Amino acid sequence: MRRVDEPLPLRPRRRTAAWAGGLLLIVPATIAGCRILDTDAVTPVPQLLSFLPWLTVPAALGALLAVIAHRRTLSLLAFVVLATTAWSALPYMPQLVTSYGLPLARVRVLAANIEFGEATGALIDTIRRERPQLVFVSECDRACGHALTSTFATELPHHASVDADGSAGSVLLSAYPLRVRDEGVIPAAMGMPGATAEIAGLPVRLQLAHPLPPLPGQVDAWKRELGRIEDVAAGRPYDEPFLLAGDFNASQDHAAFRAILDRGHLQDAARLARTSRTPTWPTEGPVPPYVQIDHVLVSDDFSVAGIRFPALAGSDHRAVLTDLDLRGAR
């Protein structure tokens, strides 16, 4: 009879390693498979897709345990899962080299979720410091909207907004004249206003994005609202420069977000600047930021001169601050 403190024989230890390795591979295999199949599926897949780059860690541990267990089939499967997960986590879309026309204007764009208006003061300080010409603000309640429009009545005198309380309010501030249309507001639970700006003599379509988050029980609504953003991006005239910015509650690993890029013929400014894996959420709580869900998307009429992700005290999001060059005809 083996004593209690005696180590397990080699074969049972290998069996335990094989079981542990196999269990570690289940989630990476499932999520990487959904990414390759271009589907967000159902809960918990949309939530776990936000962790896709980090799933290479359990996949690697699973592969290590499979090797330790001396299971050839499991080892082969583990390395396939690891390679697939790593490949799936690569930045989406190539960094296209496009022949642009001459620059007409340098436009600084700031997109920020200020968490129920709690980061209004921090946003005001950031605008004063960074001097953007376009500001897309999500979760800007009535008090926030009044504070921003009154504080920057001279610097950013034009605005389009959805005036509402809590997370439903949003505002788009502009240094350029705006033409606001009723149909510019995308129907959604939270405000998504739009307008057309006159920049360097060109009409530039502006649209704020803030769909519902993919919480369990509202994944269908999340997909539906992202689909409406996709329809707006796809339905615009392609000879009209387009800026789509905000808190998308989706990363490049979500099929619904990639559809906006693909159908709208848009590029993520962060991808063009080689920063598409810089996390913007969450900046509060015990978990460090792990996913980029705040984006500035641009048509081919823009090139990216630089991008940063400033923190906003009081918000659980980092903002996105990008310098864009609006280009003339090719």
Side-chain angles (χ1 to χ4, degrees):
M1 179 179 296
R2 188 174 59 87
R3 297 199 320 270
V4 174
D5 59 348
E6 186 178 337
L8 285 171
L10 186 59
R11 186 163 295 178
R13 276 188 288 171
R14 288 177 177 173
R15 188 180 302 118
T16 300
W19 273 101
L23 290 173
L24 283 169
L25 294 173
I26 292 174
V27 171
T30 301
I31 302 306
C34 288
R35 171 65 180 81
I36 290 173
L37 293 173
D38 203 33
T39 178
D40 293 322
V42 297
T43 298
V45 172
Q47 296 84 7
L48 289 174
L49 276 165
S50 298
F51 294 92
L52 180 57
W54 307 102
L55 294 180
T56 53
V57 175
L61 289 174
L64 178 61
L65 288 171
V67 171
I68 291 173
H70 289 193
R71 298 292 198 273
R72 290 184 180 180
T73 302
L74 181 60
S75 296
L76 177 60
L77 175 63
F79 280 104
V80 169
V81 171
L82 176 58
T84 302
T85 305
W87 179 85
S88 301
L90 291 175
Y92 183 66
M93 300 187 77
Q95 289 182 298
L96 299 177
V97 178
T98 307
S99 178
Y100 293 101
L102 294 175
L104 302 177
R106 171 67 58 86
V107 183
R108 176 163 286 187
V109 178
L110 178 65
N113 179 317
I114 57 171
E115 195 177 8
F116 306 104
E118 294 295 325
T120 300
L123 177 62
I124 288 173
D125 291 342
T126 300
I127 294 173
R128 284 174 172 159
R129 183 177 64 253
E130 302 295 348
R131 301 180 182 275
Q133 286 82 45
L134 294 171
V135 183
F136 298 76
V137 190
S138 305
E139 299 195 19
C140 181
D141 60 10
R142 298 179 197 275
C144 159
H146 176 72
L148 292 176
T149 54
S150 59
T151 302
F152 299 106
T154 301
E155 300 90 337
L156 302 166
H158 311 284
H159 67 274
S161 63
V162 172
D163 299 321
D165 295 322
S167 64
S170 294
V171 64
L172 196 168
L173 302 172
S174 172
Y176 308 103
L178 292 181
R179 186 171 73 254
V180 181
R181 300 170 298 186
D182 290 339
E183 62 270 22
V185 177
I186 298 176
M190 296 183 286
M192 294 198 280
T196 300
E198 190 78 17
I199 304 177
L202 292 179
V204 179
R205 178 79 176 271
L206 310 176
Q207 183 65 57
L208 187 148
H210 191 208
L212 286 166
L215 299 175
Q218 65 181 39
V219 169
D220 288 342
W222 169 74
K223 290 180 180 179
R224 186 163 54 248
E225 292 189 358
L226 282 169
R228 290 172 186 163
I229 298 171
E230 175 191 340
D231 290 340
V232 168
R236 79 181 201 283
Y238 286 121
D239 59 349
E240 182 180 68
F242 189 52
L243 266 173
L244 174 60
D247 169 14
F248 285 75
N249 278 310
S251 74
Q252 62 178 296
D253 300 311
H254 291 104
F257 177 75
R258 294 193 302 275
I260 295 172
L261 295 173
D262 294 340
R263 286 196 62 213
H265 299 281
L266 301 174
Q267 293 280 345
D268 192 330
R271 171 62 180 138
L272 296 176
R274 300 179 184 270
T275 57
S276 57
R277 285 299 182 190
T278 301
T280 62
W281 184 87
T283 59
E284 295 178 338
V287 179
Y290 61 85
V291 62
Q292 185 179 110
I293 59 175
D294 302 89
H295 309 273
V296 173
L297 309 185
V298 298
S299 63
D300 288 341
D301 307 274
F302 293 92
S303 58
V304 179
I307 192 168
R308 286 180 283 141
F309 302 89
L312 295 174
S315 176
D316 57 347
H317 290 250
R318 287 176 179 159
V320 183
L321 180 69
T322 182
D323 289 317
L324 305 173
D325 286 328
L326 175 61
R327 301 279 178 164
R330 294 165 180 78

